[in-house]
């Protein structure tokens, strides 16, 4: 059997799971089930097919993906998209960067499939059809007449080994139906939920794009003609990729192709598309309440609480969704779960940063959490990963006071290096050229207090690589590095 290379599509920045999911931390990266994200769970189940995975992700999320792949114990590469151009472009880029005969399994990063062995067995059943030149999709056997999913209508059984493994030709792709039409399709049989998981040879995908979406293929050819490799990261040409038309693979290819086959998946599956869907992933008590984290209910019924940090108590509530985060709280009736995006729009129009940004901001070196701020001060909690360092920098208008609460930090100030141990502090005055690094093997945690008349991020002057030691000259001091 041919080796399969999973390709995880990590794009997307939906707002339906706000306030946990935001532009800077889409739902695939958010810890929705215990302390694991949907992306980590996806990578762990795909690990059953092989040790390496290719991820296609936004440039701004590259270190989030890298962190999750390490936690999931998988290797492989990461194709960085300079902008979002939907699944057709993402899949085209992956196919063009792969060997022509490579079997590629394209999978969303944000679905929940709790039976990984069953999924792996189903995918292997699709290999004969993919090897014969088919574009194989995997349809979920419906458990109820959902109007929230697209459907696949099965056609005739394929000939040979592909048919013996359960593969049928796809007769039609159907849009999300009305509740009445969904019930009719379930009763008629032969209809599957479209899970958006595909198995196809790289060259077959390229040939299908050439026939049905040649403009998308042409843009992606130019974008991947001279890829830049930076460790596990693969960067494509920005201008060529930005010029690509944005369209899903379903509309661009699958609905037009005569080479599409489907293999049924008889297992639990959810696209986790709303807070109601998230709630359904948790066990319920006798009153149908569902709890994630530090939630408590008293005389409540059919209430879901997501409370990862502080205690949240629902008293006498019914049919509510309560989602707590450090800087925003959502309370919604279950019937209004699909309108969460309207709340995001409202906050955006009011200029509230919580619409798109979390308090905790990931960085290549770790993360910072904005704990508090006022007119002339800001308090942050910094976490610096083992072996990591921040860029050499300087501030014109603010001072920084650091207290190390865990680990040992190495601080370079105007050419002099100091080790700051746990329970020790250090002061960075305005105009000081400095760099913070973690020389140890454990995470360093620092409480940072900023003071001054101006605390904006544009007061940070970063310097070029190679300027980690010593004091830069006057010309270098004037150079801003993005």
């Amino acid at each position: 059997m041919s080796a399969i290379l999973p390709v995880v599509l990590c794009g997307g920045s939906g707002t339906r799971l706000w306030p946990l999911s935001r532009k800077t931390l889409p739902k695939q990266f958010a810890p929705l089930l215990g302390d694991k994200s949907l992306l980590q769970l996806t990578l762990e189940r795909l690990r059953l097919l092989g040790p390496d995975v290719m991820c296609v992700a936004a440039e701004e999320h590259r270190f989030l993906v890298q962190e999750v792949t390490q936690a999931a114990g998988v290797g492989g590469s990461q194709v960085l998209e300079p902008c979002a151009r939907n699944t057709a472009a993402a899949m085209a880029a992956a196919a063009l960067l792969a060997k022509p005969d490579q079997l590629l399994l394209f999978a969303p990063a944000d679905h929940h499939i709790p039976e990984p062995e069953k999924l792996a067995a189903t995918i292997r059943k699709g290999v004969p059809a993919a090897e014969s030149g088919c574009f194989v999709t995997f349809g979920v056997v419906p458990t109820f007449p959902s109007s929230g999913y697209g459907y696949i209508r099965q056609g005739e059984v394929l000939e040979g080994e592909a048919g013996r493994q359960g593969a049928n030709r796809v007769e039609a792709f159907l849009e999300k139906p009305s509740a009445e039409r969904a019930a009719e399709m379930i009763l008629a049989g032969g209809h599957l939920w479209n899970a958006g998981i595909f198995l196809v040879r790289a060259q077959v995908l390229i040939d299908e794009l050439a026939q049905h979406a040649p403009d998308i293929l042409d843009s992606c050819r130019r974008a991947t003609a001279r890829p830049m490799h930076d460790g596990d990261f693969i960067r494509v040409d920005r201008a060529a990729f930005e010029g690509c038309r944005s369209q899903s693979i379903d509309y661009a290819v699958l609905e037009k192709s005569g080479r599409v086959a489907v293999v049924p998946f008889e297992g639990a599956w959810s696209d986790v598309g709303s807070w109601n869907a998230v709630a359904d992933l948790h066990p319920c008590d006798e009153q149908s309440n569902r709890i994630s984290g530090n939630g408590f209910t008293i005389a409540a019924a059919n209430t879901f609480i997501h409370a990862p940090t502080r205690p949240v108590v629902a008293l006498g509530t019914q049919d509510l969704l309560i989602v707590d985060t450090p800087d925003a709280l959502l309370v919604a009736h279950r019937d209004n779960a699909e309108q969460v995006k309207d709340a995001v729009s409202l906050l955006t129009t009011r200029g509230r940063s919580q619409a798109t940004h979390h308090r905790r901001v990931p960085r290549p070196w770790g993360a910072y959490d904005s704990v508090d701020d006022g007119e002339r001060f800001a308090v942050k909690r910094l976490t610096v990963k083992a072996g990591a360092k921040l860029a050499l920098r300087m501030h014109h208008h603010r001072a920084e006071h650091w207290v190390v609460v865990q680990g040992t930090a190495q601080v370079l100030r105007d050419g002099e290096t100091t080790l700051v141990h746990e329970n020790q502090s250090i002061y960075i005055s305005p105009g000081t050229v400095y760099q913070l690094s973690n020389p140890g093997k454990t995470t360093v945690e620092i409480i940072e207090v900023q003071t001054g008349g101006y605390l904006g991020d544009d007061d940070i002057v970063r310097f070029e690589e190679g300027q980690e030691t010593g004091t830069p000259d006057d010309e270098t001091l004037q150079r801003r590095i993005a």
Side-chain angles (χ1 to χ4, degrees), residues 1 3 19 29 42-43 73 86 111 129 158 239 251 259 273 314 327 330 339 367 399 420:
M1 182 176 291
F29 302 111
T42 298
L43 293 170
N86 218 313
H111 291 182
L158 292 182
Y251 290 132
R259 303 171 67 176
D327 62 345
L330 171 70
Q339 296 173 253
V420 186

Side-chain angles (χ1 to χ4, degrees), residues 163-181:
R164 285 190 289 272
Q165 291 294 328
N168 290 54
R169 294 198 181 278
V170 170
E171 188 173 293
F173 288 91
L174 307 170
E175 296 287 348
K176 296 177 182 179
S178 64
E180 182 180 355
R181 177 59 182 145

Side-chain angles (χ1 to χ4, degrees), residues 302-335:
N302 198 31
T303 292
F304 171 67
I305 303 175
H306 178 85
T309 53
R310 57 188 174 183
V312 173
V313 180
L315 175 60
T317 61
Q318 188 169 350
D319 301 327
L320 287 188
L321 300 164
I322 302 172
V323 183
D324 187 40
T325 68
D327 62 345
L329 171 68
L330 171 70
V331 180
H333 193 280
R334 278 179 168 270
D335 292 345

Side-chain angles (χ1 to χ4, degrees), residues 16 111 144-151 174-183 185 193-195 269-274 338:
R16 291 184 292 174
H111 291 182
F144 64 96
S146 172
S147 59
Y149 299 140
Y151 284 75
L174 307 170
E175 296 287 348
K176 296 177 182 179
S178 64
E180 182 180 355
R181 177 59 182 145
M185 288 192 291
W193 288 336
N194 187 354
W269 168 83
S270 171
D271 70 348
V272 199
S274 69
E338 296 295 335

Side-chain angles (χ1 to χ4, degrees), residues 310-385:
R310 57 188 174 183
V312 173
V313 180
L315 175 60
T317 61
Q318 188 169 350
D319 301 327
L320 287 188
L321 300 164
I322 302 172
V323 183
D324 187 40
T325 68
D327 62 345
L329 171 68
L330 171 70
V331 180
H333 193 280
R334 278 179 168 270
D335 292 345
N336 298 94
E338 296 295 335
Q339 296 173 253
V340 171
K341 61 182 181 297
D342 297 334
V344 178
S345 297
L346 173 65
L347 293 176
T348 301
T349 59
R350 300 291 176 87
R352 302 304 296 264
S353 63
Q354 291 88 346
T356 55
H357 292 74
H358 273 283
R359 205 180 77 171
R360 182 182 183 275
V361 179
R363 283 290 183 259
W365 42 264
Y368 69 82
D369 183 3
S370 299
V371 178
D372 194 11
D373 64 86
E375 186 176 347
R376 295 182 59 86
F377 78 93
V379 181
K380 294 182 178 180
R381 177 188 176 190
L382 310 182
T383 54
V384 185
K385 295 183 289 189

Side-chain angles (χ1 to χ4, degrees), residues 74-286:
V74 299
S77 58
Q78 189 180 153
V79 181
L80 303 181
E81 295 182 293
C83 61
R85 286 296 180 264
N86 218 313
T87 54
M91 292 171 64
L96 290 164
L97 291 167
K99 295 179 180 179
D101 62 346
Q102 176 69 63
L103 272 182
L104 302 175
L105 176 74
F106 293 96
D110 55 358
H111 291 182
H112 180 59
I113 304 173
E115 301 168 293
E117 293 84 3
K118 183 177 289 188
L119 175 67
T122 302
I123 289 167
R124 292 189 182 102
K125 289 181 179 180
V127 169
E131 288 180 327
S132 71
C134 287
F135 199 128
V136 183
T137 185
F138 298 89
V140 178
V141 176
T143 54
F144 64 96
S146 172
S147 59
Y149 299 140
Y151 284 75
I152 300 169
R153 182 187 297 145
Q154 298 182 84
E156 62 185 9
V157 177
L158 292 182
E159 298 179 355
E161 183 61 24
R164 285 190 289 272
Q165 291 294 328
N168 290 54
R169 294 198 181 278
V170 170
E171 188 173 293
F173 288 91
L174 307 170
E175 296 287 348
K176 296 177 182 179
S178 64
E180 182 180 355
R181 177 59 182 145
E184 290 174 356
M185 288 192 291
I186 297 298
L187 289 174
H191 292 82
L192 306 169
W193 288 336
N194 187 354
I197 303 173
F198 313 107
L199 182 67
V200 62
R201 283 201 184 280
Q203 189 60 53
V204 172
L205 174 55
I206 292 169
D207 292 344
E208 289 295 283
L209 285 163
Q211 181 177 353
H212 303 293
D215 60 318
I216 292 177
L217 180 62
D218 181 62
S219 295
C220 291
R221 278 195 192 280
R222 288 185 282 108
T224 59
R226 294 182 179 84
M228 294 180 60
H229 293 262
D230 177 14
D232 294 335
F233 300 134
I234 302 175
R235 289 181 169 85
V236 301
D237 183 82
R238 174 178 292 274
F241 199 83
E242 287 179 342
C244 184
R245 174 165 58 91
S246 178
Q247 193 172 35
S248 72
I249 194 67
D250 300 75
Y251 290 132
V253 172
L254 294 180
E255 293 188 0
K256 304 172 185 177
S257 174
R259 303 171 67 176
V260 187
V262 61
V263 175
F265 172 60
E266 298 185 20
W269 168 83
S270 171
D271 70 348
V272 199
S274 69
W275 277 114
N276 280 329
V278 175
D280 289 342
L281 300 180
H282 296 80
C284 64
D285 62 17
E286 294 179 355

